[in-house]
Amino acid sequence: MNAIPSHPSQHASSSNTASASTASNARIEPVYRPEFVLEPVQAELSSIQRPLSTFETLYRLSWLRKTVILCVLAIIWEIYGRWLDNALLFPSFTDTVAAFASGLTSGVLLLRAAVSLKTLLIGYGIGIALAAVLTTVAISSKIGNDLLETLTAMFNPLPAIALLPLALIWFGLGNGSVIFVLVHSVLWAVALNTHSGFRGVSKTLRMVGQNYGLKRFALVQHVLIPAAFPSILTGLKVGWAFAWRTLIAAELVFGVSSGSGGLGWYIFENRNSLETANVFAGLFFVILIGLAVENLLFARIEKRTLHRWGMQH
């Protein structure tokens, strides 16, 4: 029997198939590349590590840098006071320190400072409590948000000293009027910074808290306050500064009216007696209290919270 000849197209298709399979096999084959092994370079530690000099070691100490700045300011004060040579107008630093030591020894400065700090803590605490309530209501509802924004826009630009006559009429002489003025100076600064911090918290954190079933006060306590703590701490520091200087200014008025007071009254009393060194000693004590609160209280709070959480360098 004769074999049937195959069609030329069949030969072409088979050859194409064979070539395609050959090409696919060629593509699948892995490509081997030569390996290069690099030996680690042994470097001397002396070329990498260098011991710090004494100046560099001391420069890293924050408290030492601040102490140097204060010493330089004291030297400038002493030089200017001696150059002016008018103790009634501007006493030198040594005269102020002597008057300050005399006030501490007699106990007058300590007594006046205790009166001022007691009043300050009461007004500061009430202002923080009211600010916490307002910001919690503001973050929980749109009406509360509008209320806080409106009140802040109205009363935050209003100086606390401008309320002194009204406070005198409403609360009479004594600590009630001073506390009212302190609450005004603290409330809006703390509320504004806290509300700005709450609004800056990401929606992701809010939704995470809501998924855990947190609502209103629980959401504020467990999510918003930790996330917005840098702004809250800033508000507390600003509120403290406002309250401290408002207290001294208020005591200059209410101390004269009621016949008693704290450091503000001490400053005013010595000014009337032309005891300029004692006036500077009272101001010096105000500055020392401010530095102590800033470096011993707020700095430690920042170190234990913001620095530890990685929110501040």
Side-chain angles (χ1 to χ4, degrees), residues 144-157:
N145 181 69
D146 295 338
L147 175 64
L148 179 59
E149 289 182 352
T150 304
L151 293 178
T152 303
M154 291 171 56
F155 295 110
N156 189 39

Side-chain angles (χ1 to χ4, degrees), residues 110-122 182 244 247-248 251 261-265 289:
L110 294 177
L111 180 62
R112 299 297 174 85
V115 173
S116 295
L117 290 176
K118 180 180 177 181
T119 307
L120 177 65
L121 291 177
I122 295 174
L182 290 178
W244 189 225
L247 173 65
I248 301 302
E251 285 180 343
L263 286 175
W265 169 242
I289 294 175

Side-chain angles (χ1 to χ4, degrees), residues 99 103 108-109 112 262-271 278 281-282:
V108 177
L109 273 176
R112 299 297 174 85
L263 286 175
W265 169 242
Y266 176 82
I267 294 171
F268 190 87
E269 190 178 35
N270 283 278
R271 193 212 68 170
N278 289 335

Side-chain angles (χ1 to χ4, degrees), residues 37-59:
V37 179
L38 298 178
E39 296 293 336
V41 179
Q42 299 293 335
E44 297 182 1
L45 294 178
S46 59
S47 62
I48 300 176
Q49 296 180 352
R50 181 180 62 86
L52 297 176
S53 62
T54 304
F55 175 77
E56 292 173 338
T57 303
L58 296 176
Y59 187 77

Side-chain angles (χ1 to χ4, degrees), residues 39-168:
E39 296 293 336
V41 179
Q42 299 293 335
E44 297 182 1
L45 294 178
S46 59
S47 62
I48 300 176
Q49 296 180 352
R50 181 180 62 86
L52 297 176
S53 62
T54 304
F55 175 77
E56 292 173 338
T57 303
L58 296 176
Y59 187 77
R60 293 191 174 192
L61 301 177
S62 176
W63 64 269
L64 184 59
R65 297 197 304 268
K66 294 179 180 179
T67 304
V68 171
I69 292 175
L70 293 177
C71 291
V72 171
L73 293 177
I75 292 173
I76 296 174
W77 182 355
E78 179 69 19
I79 293 174
Y80 181 75
R82 290 181 179 273
W83 175 79
L84 192 62
D85 195 19
N86 190 345
L88 182 63
L89 182 62
F90 193 91
S92 64
F93 180 74
T94 53
D95 294 337
T96 302
V97 172
F100 176 72
S102 177
L104 291 180
T105 304
S106 62
V108 177
L109 273 176
L110 294 177
L111 180 62
R112 299 297 174 85
V115 173
S116 295
L117 290 176
K118 180 180 177 181
T119 307
L120 177 65
L121 291 177
I122 295 174
Y124 189 65
I126 295 175
I128 292 175
L130 292 177
V133 173
L134 282 177
T135 49
T136 302
V137 173
I139 208 66
S140 302
S141 62
K142 293 183 179 180
I143 297 178
N145 181 69
D146 295 338
L147 175 64
L148 179 59
E149 289 182 352
T150 304
L151 293 178
T152 303
M154 291 171 56
F155 295 110
N156 189 39
L158 185 64
I161 302 300
L163 297 176
L164 289 176
L166 289 178
L168 184 62

Side-chain angles (χ1 to χ4, degrees), residues 124 127-128 131-132 134-136 138-139 148-149 152-153 156 185-201 206 224-225 227-242:
Y124 189 65
I128 292 175
L134 282 177
T135 49
T136 302
I139 208 66
L148 179 59
E149 289 182 352
T152 303
N156 189 39
S185 62
V186 173
L187 173 58
W188 310 115
V190 177
L192 183 61
N193 283 273
T194 304
H195 188 238
S196 299
F198 284 170
R199 296 184 65 179
V201 178
R206 296 172 184 266
L224 297 183
I225 290 180
F229 194 72
S231 297
I232 296 174
L233 187 59
T234 301
L236 293 176
K237 294 169 68 173
V238 173
W240 162 263
F242 284 178

